Amino acid sequence: MQEKTKPLINTTFKKEVYEGLTAFPKFLSSKYFYDEVGDKLFQDIMAMPEYYLTNTEFDILSEHKDKITSLFGNDFSLFELGAGDGKKTKILLEHLSKNNIDFDYRPIDISQNALEQLKKSVNAELPNVVINTLQGTYFETLKNIDENSTKRKIILFLGSNIGNLLHPQAIDFLQKIHAILDKEDLVFMGFDQKKNPQTILDAYNDKTGITEAFNKNILTRINAEMGGNFNLENFTHWEVYDPESGTAKSYLVSKVKQEVVIEALELQLHFDAWETIHTEISQKYDDKVVTWLSEQANLKIIAQFADNENLYKNYIFKKA
Ligand code: AVJ
């Protein structure tokens, strides 16, 4: 009898796709939305009128840049987790540069493509800013930050990116940040706030279908990178928001009973009609929850900044 050879599952992406799509209920991680196409779709999302997060944080940074950068002080490395296109960060970079503050900028992102574009645009727009990019996931790169920093650290985590983590994971993440902080280091983070549930649903369920295309990009990637044969037309994007927990969840829902093959994983998948793949959470917060999360990680809030309607807040943390 011939033994069946196992498929070569040689990347974390493949491993996680295998795990998620053979689980019940099925799930995939939103960190795999981002390739060149996904980055572009996310930029389109940030430009949508419904997606209030980006513009609101942009306005908070613009309005409070004096106070924020004065709290940063002088002579530090400015790390940024999930830097993306750096549009908001450039407000701070420009202000620091204008005030002759001595710092270097070290953006980190899972997308090499995003980092290359960011480096180009910073060099062009802010030639005085020293920039060194680092590719990887948050957890991988935290270790790298620890080993490669000699100066005081300021860690930026904008865009409410923490919202992709459930509370226990967010605490774990904050604890890992705590572990690499020294006494005078700061963490500057954005947290999208609880608000009218309709505003939140609209932000994640635009009529133009950009968010749907973004969500489905994970299936496109599986098709291209693992020989999958997902038919995108057979899935619909669905968003729910629970105003009690503050959790927004995205799903891809199978509209029909169907079989899907992923060659590289030697996987034959069955979907019942209306079966779901959970793809993303976008957690919303209030002061109580942010205080609780930071306390769990031995951090304390030393300042906070918000827009007039409290749609969104940025907090500065220090070791407690
Ligand atoms: C980049 C994780 C902050 O959850 O709001 C936007 C991603 N997903 N629209 C978010 C996203 C759907 C975004 N984050």
Side-chain angles (χ1 to χ4, degrees), residues 34 42 45 51 53 159-161 164 204 211 214 280-282 284:
Y34 304 89
F42 184 57
I45 287 174
Y51 195 74
L53 288 82
S160 203
N161 282 339
N164 275 163
Y204 293 92
T211 307
F214 180 61
E280 185 171 44
I281 84 151
S282 299
K284 307 305 163 200

Side-chain angles (χ1 to χ4, degrees), residues 30 33-34 41-42 45-46 48 51-54 82 88 138 158-165 192 203-206 210-212 214-215 237 239 248 250 280-284 312:
S30 57
F33 290 169
Y34 304 89
L41 286 166
F42 184 57
I45 287 174
M46 291 192 289
M48 307 187 313
Y51 195 74
Y52 59 84
L53 288 82
T54 310
K88 292 167 291 185
Y138 303 146
L158 303 182
S160 203
N161 282 339
I162 193 170
N164 275 163
L165 305 178
D192 194 21
Y204 293 92
N205 197 18
D206 60 293
I210 299 170
T211 307
E212 168 149 31
F214 180 61
N215 199 359
H237 165 73
E239 191 70 26
S250 302
E280 185 171 44
I281 84 151
S282 299
Q283 181 65 38
K284 307 305 163 200
Y312 191 96

Side-chain angles (χ1 to χ4, degrees), residues 229 257-261 268-271:
N229 69 348
K257 182 178 161 200
Q258 56 178 319
E259 309 296 322
V260 174
V261 173
Q268 251 235 294
L269 291 170
H270 174 80
F271 287 86

Side-chain angles (χ1 to χ4, degrees), residues 55-121:
N55 286 338
T56 311
E57 190 172 45
F58 189 93
D59 292 345
I60 293 170
L61 297 183
S62 304
E63 168 92 16
H64 300 286
K65 62 187 177 194
D66 268 323
K67 181 81 198 294
I68 294 166
T69 54
S70 77
L71 287 167
F72 286 1
N74 204 344
D75 197 17
F76 53 83
S77 287
L78 185 64
F79 291 92
E80 179 168 20
L81 305 177
D85 68 2
K87 189 172 166 238
K88 292 167 291 185
T89 318
K90 283 175 189 164
I91 301 165
L92 301 179
L93 297 179
E94 191 191 3
H95 204 61
L96 290 165
S97 171
K98 206 178 81 190
N99 292 326
N100 292 314
I101 300 296
D102 194 3
F103 76 105
D104 63 339
Y105 177 43
R106 306 217 202 164
I108 293 159
D109 206 281
I110 194 167
S111 165
Q112 184 61 38
N113 166 59
L115 287 172
E116 279 161 20
Q117 290 189 26
L118 176 60
K119 190 172 171 133
K120 254 190 235 154
S121 72

